[in-house]
Amino acid sequence: MAETRRRLRSSTVVLGGMGVLAAALSACGSDPDRRCVDRDSHDYINGYKIVADNNCSSGTSSGRKTGKTKVTDADWYYDADVSGGYADNGTFSRDEAVDRGGFGCSGSGSGGG
């Protein structure tokens, strides 16, 4: 009888732990790391130049005016490698970034100049 109770408790702990793990991974996968970049600034070696987040709208490309400069084709770039003010090897598709996210979170999801 004691052995049956022990097995039940053990499997309950395993199932509960898997639920917590699944919830944590889902939360990370649904919010990929993103940077606001100027689509017109692509450099073969460095990638896209990162611009201030307020140049990107919450949906699609915006082309908002900020101070003296105007970024005409700013858009969110997801899951990119960031170095020296440039982002590369990412995607402009949020859905694709979520699908290829893998385990864990890659970053905070904010950035820009």
Side-chain angles (χ1 to χ4, degrees):
M1 185 72 129
E3 188 176 324
T4 304
R5 258 190 271 166
R6 183 174 296 144
R7 275 192 218 155
L8 178 63
R9 280 188 232 152
S10 181
S11 56
T12 303
V13 169
V14 169
L15 289 174
M18 289 177 69
V20 169
L21 179 63
L25 291 176
S26 296
C28 290
S30 64
D31 192 19
D33 183 39
R34 68 182 185 179
R35 302 283 189 244
C36 184
V37 299
D38 181 1
R39 282 180 171 254
D40 295 332
S41 69
H42 188 263
D43 178 88
Y44 182 73
I45 295 172
N46 297 315
Y48 294 96
K49 182 161 179 50
I50 298 173
V51 297
D53 285 355
N54 61 358
N55 287 294
C56 289
S57 66
S58 58
T60 59
S61 301
S62 63
R64 294 183 185 168
K65 193 173 189 178
T66 58
K68 294 179 181 180
T69 61
K70 181 179 178 184
V71 179
T72 57
D73 198 12
D75 203 356
W76 291 114
Y77 194 55
Y78 298 94
D79 285 345
D81 299 328
V82 177
S83 176
Y86 286 86
D88 200 16
N89 300 320
T91 178
F92 286 104
S93 168
R94 184 182 187 282
D95 293 336
E96 186 179 319
V98 171
D99 287 344
R100 70 181 189 174
F103 296 105
C105 297
S106 62
S108 63
S110 65

